[in-house]
Amino acid sequence: MTALAIETAAEDGAVRGTGFAITANGSYAARLVRDAGAGAWFPERWTLDGPEPYAVPLPGNQPEEPDAGVLPMADGRVLIHRRIADRHSFALLYPTGPATGELQLGAVDAAAGELTLLPPSPDGSCAYALAAGPDGTALWLVAGGAFGPELVARLKGRCSGGVWLDRTGRMLALDRELDGRTKAVAVDLERGGEVTELLQITEDSDDRLLLADADSGLLMIRSNAPGQDRLGWGVLGSALPVRFPECLRLADAALTPFAVQPGQVLMPESCAVALRIDAEGGTWVGIWRPAGRHLHQLAAPQGWLAGAGLWRPEGVLRLPCVTEASPCAVLDLPAPPDPPASPPPPARPAAAKPVPLGQAPLTGRRQLKGDR
């Protein structure tokens, strides 16, 4: 199940929040919320694997800053990242009856740069952060190490994003800006942060990885190789080119994929992909499958934390919602069937023809020099 930390919206009158991250196994989620009455920010943990979802507030001894980062762990604890004076501090929070327990993990000097938490690791026990500076990017293990935060690797260029490529938490994809171009690269955490090429559609294109599914190998990509930024899809390790479906190009709306259906082993074209659709008239939900060539557009449920959700393997999309009446709810949305297939239109020549994915990290290695 794919999970990302995404900025969310909240209903007027309800507790407001920013960010919503879900563990890779879909059991827990966390966000930072503000009590509209008291004006205090505090972390909130959601439990999603029971009969009914429920939320547990985790307030500390004092209110949090609104820019604090939170990340759920597979054991139910919540990692919090605080900026305190000249350091980045990390701790694990957990409920202890009426109070909140806190396990200090250590700190990183603020001179390392602005730290950004990466999406939850598939193993559920580790957490990572990026610190991009003028001379490169540092990758930190901030939870799960033996002696507090540990520097994993120093990477050339300015790295952002963060997509896990496997189920073990070994292979991490990052979007790296270097020499005026942005390319997705893979970082092997078991080989000292060794970096290999992942996406190379054309030499001059900016190729970013948005989502990946470890079961099927499906990759969701954003690239300007077709002449403008477009959503495309490919398969990890495939010799086929990246494809840019016309149905994923809306003239008056922006599409952002946020979850891929798991469990479709070796069947990437059958995976359902959930997309957030933003336009002047509001935000709603899109569902698309590569094989179907059709974008289903569905009204967003009331109070949806826009851009957050996860798939069940059987094809049910779970969307977290917050309203005044239901401060912790999940709407299950079955994926609609695709209409009968029709012959595809004739292919039109493109100014920049996509080429196959670069050396995929699990099928062949082409290490990039200069990274440690």
Side-chain angles (χ1 to χ4, degrees), residues 201-202 204-207 221-233 242-246 249 348-355:
I201 300 179
T202 70
D204 297 329
S205 60
D206 295 315
D207 310 317
I221 296 155
R222 190 182 301 279
S223 173
N224 58 9
Q228 58 182 339
D229 270 341
R230 294 274 302 274
L231 281 181
W233 69 281
V242 174
R243 281 145 281 187
F244 297 90
E246 284 295 321
R249 181 168 64 167
R348 293 178 296 178
K353 182 180 178 181
V355 298

Side-chain angles (χ1 to χ4, degrees), residues 115-194:
L115 264 69
T116 303
L117 291 176
L118 292 176
S121 171
D123 66 10
S125 61
C126 296
Y128 295 85
L130 286 179
D135 300 322
T137 302
L139 175 62
W140 289 86
L141 173 67
V142 297
F147 305 103
E150 300 174 9
L151 180 63
V152 176
R154 293 192 181 276
L155 311 173
K156 291 179 62 179
R158 186 175 186 86
C159 296
S160 59
V163 175
W164 295 100
L165 298 174
D166 62 355
R167 292 289 182 192
T168 66
R170 172 179 176 177
M171 302 303 303
L172 173 67
L174 298 172
D175 298 329
R176 177 161 74 172
E177 182 184 350
L178 186 64
D179 299 329
R181 296 295 176 195
T182 300
K183 301 288 186 183
V185 297
V187 182
D188 190 334
L189 302 183
E190 290 189 4
R191 296 172 67 111
E194 178 183 289

Side-chain angles (χ1 to χ4, degrees), residues 290-308:
R293 302 190 181 95
H294 179 80
L295 176 64
H296 301 272
Q297 300 188 50
L298 309 172
Q302 184 181 13
W304 176 41
L305 300 178

